[in-house]
Amino acid sequence: MMDLNLDAPHSMGTTIIGVTYNGGVVLGADSRTSTGMYVANRASDKITQLTDNVYVCRSGSAADSQVVSDYVRYFLHQHTIQLGQPATVKVSANLIRMLAYNNKNMLQTGLIVGGWDKYEGGKIYGIPLGGTVVEQPFAIGGSGSSYLYGFFDQAWKENMTKEEAEQLVVKAVSLAIARDGASGGVVRTFIINSEGVTRNFYPGDKLQLWHEELEPQNSLLDILNAAGPEPMAT
Amino acid sequence: MTFTIPIDNGDALKNAETDSQRTLYPYVTGTSIVAIKYKDGVLMASDMGGSYGSTLRYKNIERVKAIGKHSLLGASGEISDFQEILRYLDELVLNDNMWDDGNSLGPKEVHNYLTRVMYNRRNKFNPLWNTLVLGGVKNGQSYLGMVSMIGVSFEDNHVATGFGNHLARPILRDEWHADLSFEDGVKLLEKCMRVLLYRDRSAINKLQISKITEEGVTVSQPYSLKTFWEFQAFHNPTAGAQGSW
């Protein structure tokens, strides 16, 4: 009998993505949180707000990523008051780095910070295990990202439009969900630019079908009742 | 090299107290650095890769940085630790500038500082997981040295880290000589980097060659090397023995 291991720590298998486009960034993620083999939450929100203009995609340990983003939100709130204007994406990324690097032995979380500020425009920073900070035109993370390196090498282009960037993110998360057992559920996207933040929601059954995936039906009965097999002619 | 055996009872929380006393293992790593002294100063070559285990995850990491006016620091190993070392050196250079006394830190001083830092961390069983290469020129004197994660520190006319120890060093021992021209120096480094490209799994074909002379630091733009695959023996290697490789 399969061991569901329900006492395993909550981990977000996850696929997370951050992409810059001509004018801002698009962040995307799946929505599955698993405890061992059981899906503890099939509709989690892995894209968390740090400030009005900076969001973070969380992967790895659910607890570790939540507590790190809570601390950084708290620090950024105070920083914003002191600064008198919105915090920059770079500062947000560096605060995360401080926690990630100095607690590297205890934390198990990979993060992608994305946002828009008036100095640098749209920026994406990847912060993998260990606390390295890497500024990138696009970043992928989580267990599902393994399946996307080849895809992005081929599909990524500079200076995409907002629509192209969002479509790319949705397609990519959807492809990863198709192959990674630890990713699933819905695709959530956040578009951040000078005008503000737009949330979008793509439920699992509205995504494009990939190889060996079938059109969902209500019931077998519907299929049977549709045009039945024709009797043989001869 | 192990530091202490990690206690793997699955309880990261309980082990945290003892674990936080030491670095366990690296995550995002850079591969070899190769550097040589030449006529006008020092040349240093590195690729731009940051590996995550066996995945070639990051392909635009600069692993060689200018330090102050007179030095160049290249690092292999854990990138987050390299970034931290750069912060320490920023503070060192800032304080040096604040003296405003006309003196500035030379490569010898920076190398010594790094040696102390690396060795002291090693003694606390919490190393910075890097091998560092420090090159520079001050008052006409060229300097090239390296420091490892356990604090082993020395100077030489040519140095290499990681795989470069095994693959580049024999080439350098054979072909390096004093007063190499810039062109010959670059060709020698490219010869080493090409071998590393063929034989080091974590190498990527995107490199930068950095130069430091009395005038200052230049870091080249990223570029790729041509590779050669047209040996007759490569065309049909198993012709003589089907099933072999």
Side-chain angles (χ1 to χ4, degrees):
Chain A
M1 178 60 204
M2 186 176 72
D3 180 14
L4 288 168
N5 197 17
L6 295 170
D7 291 324
H10 277 36
S11 116
M12 297 171 307
T14 307
T15 306
I16 50 174
I17 301 180
V19 153
T20 58
Y21 73 90
N22 187 14
V25 300
V26 181
L27 299 179
D30 74 310
S31 70
R32 176 171 289 186
T33 304
S34 24
T35 329
M37 279 289 165
Y38 175 66
V39 178
N41 186 352
R42 66 181 171 101
S44 7
D45 189 0
K46 303 183 187 181
I47 307 178
T48 306
Q49 186 184 33
L50 295 179
T51 70
D52 290 340
N53 53 315
V54 182
Y55 282 69
V56 62
C57 299
R58 303 179 290 110
S59 78
S61 156
D64 287 352
S65 64
Q66 280 172 3
V67 88
V68 166
S69 50
D70 284 348
Y71 267 117
V72 173
R73 190 179 312 115
Y74 166 65
F75 294 143
L76 280 173
H77 186 208
Q78 299 190 308
H79 172 64
T80 306
I81 292 169
Q82 202 175 42
L83 198 64
Q85 56 184 33
T88 59
V89 191
K90 195 180 237 175
V91 164
S92 314
N94 196 42
L95 283 169
I96 296 205
R97 183 204 73 89
M98 285 184 71
L99 288 172
Y101 180 75
N102 291 319
N103 296 293
K104 64 161 78 182
N105 293 332
M106 290 180 277
L107 293 174
Q108 202 178 64
T109 171
L111 301 156
I112 297 179
V113 182
W116 185 96
D117 60 57
K118 70 181 187 197
Y119 297 104
E120 305 247 41
K123 282 287 181 201
I124 295 282
Y125 292 88
I127 308 174
L129 260 47
T132 315
V133 183
V134 188
E135 201 245 292
Q136 302 171 278
F138 71 90
I140 55 178
S143 56
S145 69
S146 307
Y147 306 96
L148 297 176
Y149 284 96
F151 173 70
F152 269 91
D153 279 349
Q154 187 239 30
W156 159 260
K157 301 184 317 275
E158 288 256 31
N159 284 124
M160 287 184 285
T161 64
K162 181 173 67 157
E163 289 72 27
E164 282 175 329
E166 208 208 357
Q167 281 317 301
L168 182 67
V169 168
V170 174
K171 190 173 183 179
V173 178
S174 169
L175 281 167
I177 288 175
R179 291 292 185 174
D180 179 29
S183 302
V186 309
V187 181
R188 295 191 197 279
T189 64
F190 276 71
I191 308 174
I192 312 172
N193 52 34
S194 57
E195 280 140 43
V197 180
T198 317
R199 294 180 65 125
N200 283 321
F201 173 83
Y202 298 87
D205 54 339
K206 294 286 187 303
L207 300 168
Q208 187 180 348
L209 286 173
W210 303 117
H211 183 50
E212 284 180 326
E213 289 183 342
L214 299 171
E215 198 63 58
Q217 308 286 346
N218 277 328
S219 159
L220 176 64
L221 306 172
D222 295 341
I223 307 172
L224 292 175
N225 289 337
E230 297 291 321
M232 278 173 30
T234 10
Chain B
M1 261 186 295
T2 41
F3 282 77
T4 16
I5 299 123
I7 310 163
D8 192 8
N9 51 20
D11 199 339
L13 197 55
K14 276 209 217 120
N15 297 343
E17 222 179 292
T18 35
D19 282 356
S20 67
Q21 310 311 314
R22 54 203 167 84
T23 299
L24 299 171
Y25 26 70
Y27 292 99
V28 180
T29 55
T31 184
S32 326
I33 304 269
V34 187
I36 54 175
K37 280 192 194 171
Y38 79 110
K39 184 161 56 83
D40 305 325
V42 172
L43 285 167
M44 200 179 294
S46 67
D47 73 9
M48 299 192 78
S51 299
Y52 189 72
S54 54
T55 305
L56 305 171
R57 189 166 181 179
Y58 300 106
K59 296 191 177 182
N60 206 27
I61 308 246
E62 286 194 25
R63 298 192 292 115
V64 178
K65 294 281 188 183
I67 310 293
K69 293 193 276 274
H70 303 286
S71 312
L72 210 53
L73 174 66
S76 59
E78 169 67 47
I79 302 294
S80 66
D81 285 346
F82 176 50
Q83 290 179 340
E84 191 75 353
I85 289 168
L86 290 174
R87 297 177 96 86
Y88 289 150
L89 288 173
D90 263 348
E91 207 180 314
L92 193 72
V93 170
L94 182 71
N95 287 323
D96 185 45
N97 289 337
M98 287 202 300
W99 283 104
D100 200 21
D101 58 3
N103 278 329
S104 51
L105 284 170
K108 253 199 208 352
E109 289 84 59
V110 179
H111 188 212
N112 180 252
Y113 173 78
L114 289 171
T115 306
R116 291 296 103 227
V117 170
M118 300 298 272
Y119 183 62
N120 274 286
R121 289 286 297 254
R122 166 265 194 199
N123 284 341
K124 292 189 277 196
F125 279 92
N126 185 203
L128 289 159
W129 208 284
N130 297 110
T131 306
L132 305 170
V133 174
L134 201 293
V137 186
K138 193 173 174 200
N139 298 332
Q141 289 274 54
S142 301
Y143 185 93
L144 180 60
M146 55 186 267
V147 199
S148 76
M149 65 194 271
I150 56 172
V152 173
S153 168
F154 57 89
E155 284 175 60
D156 207 342
N157 292 320
H158 48 78
V159 297
T161 71
F163 252 76
N165 272 313
H166 303 274
L167 299 174
R169 214 167 246 141
I171 301 175
L172 295 171
R173 280 176 179 164
D174 213 25
E175 299 187 23
W176 183 90
H177 58 83
D179 291 318
L180 280 163
S181 68
F182 175 72
E183 289 73 28
D184 286 343
V186 170
K187 285 210 199 105
L188 182 56
L189 283 179
E190 286 181 339
K191 187 170 183 178
C192 296
M193 295 307 280
R194 191 175 283 108
V195 172
L196 287 168
L197 200 52
Y198 289 140
R199 298 295 181 174
D200 178 3
R201 254 178 51 169
S202 43
I204 64 164
N205 196 359
K206 189 172 179 195
L207 47 143
Q208 288 180 302
I209 298 202
S210 310
K211 157 171 85 109
I212 182 162
T213 63
E214 192 72 53
E215 277 86 62
V217 172
T218 321
V219 179
S220 79
Q221 60 173 232
Y223 73 104
S224 290
L225 283 173
K226 282 204 185 149
T227 51
F228 184 73
W229 301 91
E230 296 306 316
F231 289 111
Q232 261 309 336
F234 283 7
H235 279 261
N236 200 0
T238 57
Q242 283 299 326
S244 71
W245 57 290

